[in-house]
Amino acid sequence: LAKGVYIQVASNRDRADADQEAAAWKRRKLPTLVSSWQARDGVVWWRVLLGPYPDRKRAQATAQRLRRQGALDFHLLVEAPRP
């Protein structure tokens, strides 16, 4: 992941489902990517992320705007690991 803060809008165990979700966000002209994440139990999850945003404040403002528009029910803020 590039440096910054991301808005996680979905997490799926199936890559195809994550890609389908990401395509819907891309149609909204939002910067979107699918990234794998391995849980402690070894299960791989495919996260749908919006961003990156330069800081948590801007990411949260975007998430709040999407909630007001009815486009977002759930989200987490995810910071890219520092190199």
Side-chain angles (χ1 to χ4, degrees), residues 6-40:
Y6 294 82
I7 304 168
Q8 180 178 321
V9 295
S11 183
N12 294 285
R13 290 180 64 180
D14 182 66
R15 173 69 190 251
D17 289 343
D19 287 340
Q20 186 175 5
E21 177 83 15
W25 288 102
K26 287 178 184 179
R27 284 192 294 275
R28 291 177 170 270
K29 307 287 189 229
L30 291 165
T32 307
L33 64 100
V34 175
S35 175
S36 64
W37 177 78
Q38 188 170 6
R40 289 183 185 145

Side-chain angles (χ1 to χ4, degrees), residues 61-72:
T62 299
Q64 289 173 344
R65 178 176 51 84
L66 292 169
R67 286 179 73 92
R68 283 193 305 274
Q69 294 172 351
L72 185 64

Side-chain angles (χ1 to χ4, degrees), residues 48-64:
V48 179
L49 305 171
L50 307 181
Y53 296 90
D55 53 47
R56 292 181 71 82
K57 183 177 178 180
R58 291 190 196 176
Q60 187 62 38
T62 299
Q64 289 173 344

